[in-house]
Amino acid sequence: MDISHNMRGALYMAVAMVSFASNDAITKLMSESMNVAQVMLVRGVFASTVIVLIGWRSGAFSRMRLLLQPLVAFRAVNEVAATVTFLLALAHLPIANVSAVLQALPLAVTMGAALAFGQSVGWRRWLAICAGFIGVLITVRPGYEGFSAYSLFALASVGFCTMRDLATSRLPDNIPTQLVSAVTSVSVTLTGAILLAPMGGWSAMAPSGAMLLALSAMLLLLGYHFIIMAMRTGEISFISPFRYTSLLASILFGLIMFAEVPDLPMTIGSTIIVASGLYTLYRERAVGRYKTAAASTGPSMGPDGI
């Protein structure tokens, strides 16, 4: 493939990651004035409206019977759980810390594919996976000063995202992507409505707050659009490392919007996670057979709430 295609794909990937990080920053900002369930509900209404319209125009809803596939429900349940745990962590932890933990997703998916599906993973990638999770522990720092129980929600989110991605990889090809996205979006939105009362009820929201959540939803959709463009434009092994742009963007948003300065454990831990992920991607390219970690860079790379 021409290098210009790879560079364009890398640019698309970077734009997607910055869009996702921008969505996270707005979501965290709004979580200061309302509970997580309200964020899920309001943002979900905006996102669901767009996704359902796209699905309707594409004719995806003409095959509603395909929703009876158990994997569709399993994927939706894990997406909902991933979104709830991710947003709880994001509301109470520095945005860069949450982003750093989520960077372990390709390693977790690689491990899950090896354990669940018997995919071959060599000893070098197993070492990289172990090193990556050591980096996660350094970032989370269990048992030490500065540890927050909300870090467990970030870890749980990675686990739910892993199960979601493994289920996604086994979905039949005849199930339209738009249909799966619509089901996921509506499920997350309804979950926000169900959890609203238990999480404290509705908080008065200014028009500016609704506009920010609408912007958050659009940034999320923009990120999806550009990540799909990236995957279709460049070689997956070339553009995948640019997923870590999201961590850099999260650090910047943390500094500018929330005055969050990364501490030493977070810096060391995230460096190990990123290095492990990059090495895993390199080994996949060298082996040339299984692309599990690289594939997790695709449109379902993180909890998205839609």
Side-chain angles (χ1 to χ4, degrees):
M1 180 173 291
D2 189 273
I3 186 64
S4 62
H5 287 83
N6 280 335
M7 293 305 297
R8 191 160 62 249
L11 176 61
Y12 293 157
M13 176 65 75
V15 172
M17 295 302 104
V18 173
S19 298
F20 289 143
S22 301
N23 159 68
D24 291 345
I26 294 174
T27 300
K28 181 175 177 63
L29 181 66
M30 296 308 299
S31 297
E32 296 177 353
S33 58
M34 63 184 68
N35 59 57
V36 165
Q38 186 171 341
V39 172
M40 290 173 60
L41 174 59
V42 177
R43 189 183 69 171
V45 167
F46 289 117
S48 295
T49 301
V50 176
I51 291 175
V52 169
L53 285 174
I54 293 174
W56 176 72
R57 288 180 61 86
S58 68
F61 298 139
S62 64
R63 291 182 282 176
M64 294 292 289
R65 68 183 186 281
L66 295 175
L67 294 179
L68 298 176
Q69 289 279 351
L71 279 178
V72 175
F74 182 77
R75 185 193 183 282
V77 167
N78 279 285
E79 180 67 75
V80 168
T83 301
V84 173
T85 51
F86 174 78
L87 292 180
L88 284 170
L90 186 63
H92 296 89
L93 296 173
I95 185 173
N97 289 49
V98 179
S99 179
V101 173
L102 262 291
Q103 301 310 314
L105 179 58
L107 301 173
V109 173
T110 299
M111 181 178 68
L115 297 176
F117 304 142
Q119 289 192 3
S120 177
V121 176
W123 64 270
R124 295 179 181 86
R125 276 184 286 172
W126 276 118
L127 286 178
I129 290 170
C130 292
F133 285 116
I134 289 173
V136 170
L137 290 176
I138 293 174
T139 301
V140 173
R141 73 203 80 177
Y144 289 89
E145 182 180 357
F147 169 73
S148 171
Y150 286 101
S151 297
L152 300 179
F153 285 105
L155 291 172
S157 184
V158 172
F160 289 125
C161 283
T162 300
M163 290 187 286
R164 176 207 61 193
D165 286 355
L166 294 176
T168 303
S169 70
R170 289 297 189 268
L171 285 176
D173 293 336
N174 65 329
I175 299 181
T177 300
Q178 294 89 344
L179 185 60
V180 176
S181 297
V183 169
T184 302
S185 176
V186 173
S187 297
V188 171
T189 305
L190 291 176
T191 301
I194 293 170
L195 294 178
L196 186 60
M199 287 191 172
W202 182 269
S203 299
M205 184 172 55
S208 58
M211 291 177 62
L212 280 174
L213 286 174
L215 175 60
S216 175
M218 294 307 105
L219 284 168
L220 206 55
L221 298 176
L222 182 69
Y224 268 74
H225 177 71
F226 272 96
I227 205 171
I228 291 171
M229 289 175 62
M231 303 296 278
R232 290 178 174 176
T233 301
E235 294 177 356
I236 190 171
S237 59
F238 182 90
I239 65 174
S240 293
F242 289 88
R243 68 174 311 223
Y244 297 109
T245 308
S246 63
L247 178 57
L248 297 177
S250 295
I251 292 173
L252 287 176
F253 282 127
L255 286 169
I256 295 171
M257 296 179 61
F258 307 105
E260 297 170 348
V261 180
D263 57 16
L264 185 59
M266 183 271 166
T267 302
I268 294 174
S270 60
T271 300
I272 294 174
I273 295 168
V274 171
S276 301
L278 289 174
Y279 182 75
T280 301
L281 292 169
Y282 163 75
R283 284 302 305 169
E284 288 192 350
R285 184 173 187 176
V287 173
R289 293 180 61 191
Y290 300 107
K291 306 295 183 183
T292 309
S296 70
T297 310
S300 61
M301 65 159 287
D304 45 57
I306 64 171

